[in-house]
Amino acid sequence: MNEYRILAINPGSTSTKFAVYYNDECKLNKTLRHSIDELSSYKSILKQFDYRKGMIIDALVEEGFEVDSLKYIIGRGGLTYPLESGVYLVNNEMLKHASDGVYGQHASNLGPLIADFIANQIPGAKAFIADPVVTDELDEIARITGHPQFEKRSIFHALNQKATARQHAKKLGVPYESLNLIVAHLGGGISVGAHKKGRVVDVNNGLDGDGPFSPERSGGLPTGQIIDWCFESGRSKADIRRMVVGEGGYVAYLKTNDARDVEEMARQGNEKARLIQDAMAYQVAKSIGEMAVVLEGQVDGVLLTGGVAYSEYITSFIKTKVEFLAPVYVYPGEDELEALAKNALRVARQETQAKTYQPKIR
């Protein structure tokens, strides 16, 4: 059997995670932490490129890996223009759009840039991304917001949602494309997607904090109140964005973004913590109900995933609300590096074909 050697890279806000896989076997999984002081010396995320890719290469050498033996380099996809789901070869157009941050600046934009750089140093190596956060398979009707000035954007935890759905289908012994699933990613941000025969036809914008509130995001706030607040508070655009993304949800109510802290507070009798925890789970359950309507009630399963899905209290709360719709399955945690590696392996084994990045700019 051929041995395919894969390097998976996931740049995050304060860390760079990477892993080495030989076929399905993880040989190295490492998280490089970056302090706020270290990152503050760079004027933009793009300026962090040399720093982060250098740390990866140095760590690989230090761990005794022959960098030249890694032929499939796959990075987390960033905020380029929207794409359908799949594995993509990194090309110059993708690199430009990731560098420009055409849909925003985020550390994930460095994913294709670092993957491409490392692949270019290795004879015969190729660089890829898979299921980026801008994966867009929305039905046209789902894009309509209520005013032509605004259009719904598909930005969500596509990599983990797709990986979890495929894992579930494999467990059942059926193709992912044969199922109708509702997948709820419960993490620092929350996204709930309707997976219809392999396509996510509707999902809340998890980046901007639409939908349920989460440990860090405010969710769908009352429109009239937020308009008044924006004009009357004297806050800057950056302040308001932080209120919605980063300083909303648990952070705003309870001064922590750690769901484990909130659960412990509730367990010890903090009634406010219990109410806020219940309210978040309640909103997730409501979103799952909305997606059941999208799928016209034909739901084969509801999948709960992400770090917050480790909480038996929260998953039980949601299950009680929605199990009348379909069986509920819990896949706690998220392993985006494993998901990336598996996507690269699918290409290596010719189980799928890498696509060309040619976005349709809306």
Side-chain angles (χ1 to χ4, degrees), residues 190 212-215 250 276-284 308 314:
I190 289 175
F213 75 81
S214 75
Y250 281 0
I276 300 307
Q277 183 183 44
D278 287 356
M280 185 179 78
Y282 173 81
Q283 290 193 8
V284 171
V308 178
I314 288 178

Side-chain angles (χ1 to χ4, degrees), residues 197-272:
K197 309 300 183 187
R199 293 176 57 246
V200 183
V201 297
D202 201 349
V203 66
N204 63 292
N205 184 330
L207 176 70
D208 287 345
D210 297 341
F213 75 81
S214 75
E216 296 181 347
R217 296 170 192 176
S218 295
L221 297 171
T223 306
Q225 292 180 46
I226 197 169
I227 290 171
D228 291 342
W229 189 88
C230 287
F231 280 92
E232 295 169 3
S233 67
R235 303 291 182 88
S236 68
K237 178 181 177 180
D239 289 337
I240 294 168
R241 177 161 287 278
R242 278 196 301 273
M243 182 197 78
V244 173
V245 181
E247 297 178 0
Y250 281 0
V251 174
Y253 284 109
L254 301 167
K255 310 305 179 188
T256 179
N257 66 353
D258 194 324
R260 295 167 298 183
D261 291 345
V262 174
E263 184 145 333
E264 183 58 28
M265 291 162 64
R267 188 179 293 115
Q268 293 181 5
N270 186 320
E271 293 184 4
K272 181 179 180 181

Side-chain angles (χ1 to χ4, degrees), residues 1-22:
M1 183 178 71
N2 291 328
E3 182 177 74
Y4 301 107
R5 300 191 175 193
I6 300 162
L7 173 62
I9 302 165
N10 182 9
S13 299
T14 58
S15 68
T16 301
K17 299 177 182 179
F18 70 94
V20 175
Y21 278 78
Y22 292 180

Side-chain angles (χ1 to χ4, degrees), residues 39-357:
L39 297 182
S40 64
S41 64
Y42 299 97
K43 294 183 179 180
S44 68
I45 288 171
L46 194 62
K47 296 290 187 183
Q48 299 171 17
F49 169 76
D50 286 330
Y51 165 69
R52 295 203 191 215
K53 62 91 171 167
M55 288 187 73
I56 293 172
I57 295 171
D58 290 346
L60 285 169
V61 173
E62 187 177 305
E63 294 286 347
F65 285 90
E66 294 183 13
V67 178
D68 284 357
S69 71
L70 305 171
K71 301 300 183 183
Y72 294 83
I73 319 298
I74 186 163
R76 185 181 180 189
L79 296 171
T80 59
Y81 285 109
L83 299 168
E84 65 178 12
S85 174
V87 184
Y88 288 82
L89 269 168
V90 176
N91 61 18
N92 289 334
E93 189 175 19
M94 181 190 297
L95 294 173
K96 183 180 187 311
H97 292 164
S99 298
D100 292 345
V102 291
Y103 257 39
Q105 291 294 341
H106 187 271
S108 60
N109 291 4
L110 294 171
L113 301 177
I114 296 173
D116 179 73
F117 177 89
I118 294 176
N120 282 333
Q121 312 309 306
I122 304 171
K126 293 181 179 180
F128 305 89
I129 64 164
D131 292 334
V133 293
V134 290
T135 294
D136 186 346
E137 302 168 327
L138 296 184
D139 283 344
E140 287 305 304
I141 197 171
R143 301 184 189 279
I144 306 302
T145 61
H147 193 286
Q149 184 68 33
F150 307 97
E151 181 179 80
K152 183 175 180 179
R153 288 180 172 179
S154 177
I155 304 178
F156 71 109
H157 305 89
L159 183 61
N160 190 48
Q161 282 209 24
K162 288 279 186 176
T164 301
R166 291 192 186 101
Q167 178 186 352
H168 180 70
K170 185 176 181 179
K171 180 180 176 182
L172 297 181
V174 299
Y176 163 54
E177 293 76 13
S178 71
L179 297 173
N180 284 347
L181 302 169
I182 299 171
V183 184
H185 174 102
L186 313 177
I190 289 175
S191 60
V192 182
H195 295 235
K196 184 176 183 180
K197 309 300 183 187
R199 293 176 57 246
V200 183
V201 297
D202 201 349
V203 66
N204 63 292
N205 184 330
L207 176 70
D208 287 345
D210 297 341
F213 75 81
S214 75
E216 296 181 347
R217 296 170 192 176
S218 295
L221 297 171
T223 306
Q225 292 180 46
I226 197 169
I227 290 171
D228 291 342
W229 189 88
C230 287
F231 280 92
E232 295 169 3
S233 67
R235 303 291 182 88
S236 68
K237 178 181 177 180
D239 289 337
I240 294 168
R241 177 161 287 278
R242 278 196 301 273
M243 182 197 78
V244 173
V245 181
E247 297 178 0
Y250 281 0
V251 174
Y253 284 109
L254 301 167
K255 310 305 179 188
T256 179
N257 66 353
D258 194 324
R260 295 167 298 183
D261 291 345
V262 174
E263 184 145 333
E264 183 58 28
M265 291 162 64
R267 188 179 293 115
Q268 293 181 5
N270 186 320
E271 293 184 4
K272 181 179 180 181
R274 175 65 73 205
L275 176 62
I276 300 307
Q277 183 183 44
D278 287 356
M280 185 179 78
Y282 173 81
Q283 290 193 8
V284 171
K286 286 207 306 181
S287 291
I288 290 170
E290 291 178 2
M291 295 306 165
V293 172
V294 171
L295 297 174
E296 299 176 350
Q298 303 300 307
V299 185
D300 297 307
V302 175
L303 314 184
L304 306 180
T305 185
V308 178
Y310 280 112
S311 168
E312 292 185 13
Y313 180 88
I314 288 178
T315 55
S316 294
F317 187 107
I318 296 170
K319 182 177 180 180
T320 299
K321 294 286 187 185
V322 306
E323 61 185 346
F324 74 95
L325 297 169
V328 179
Y329 305 87
V330 181
Y331 295 93
E334 57 179 300
D335 192 337
E336 293 179 323
L337 291 172
E338 182 181 13
L340 287 169
K342 284 183 175 179
N343 274 292
L345 190 58
R346 289 169 62 217
V347 172
R349 289 175 172 169
Q350 298 183 347
E351 296 170 0
T352 190
Q353 186 173 356
K355 300 177 180 180
T356 300
Y357 178 78

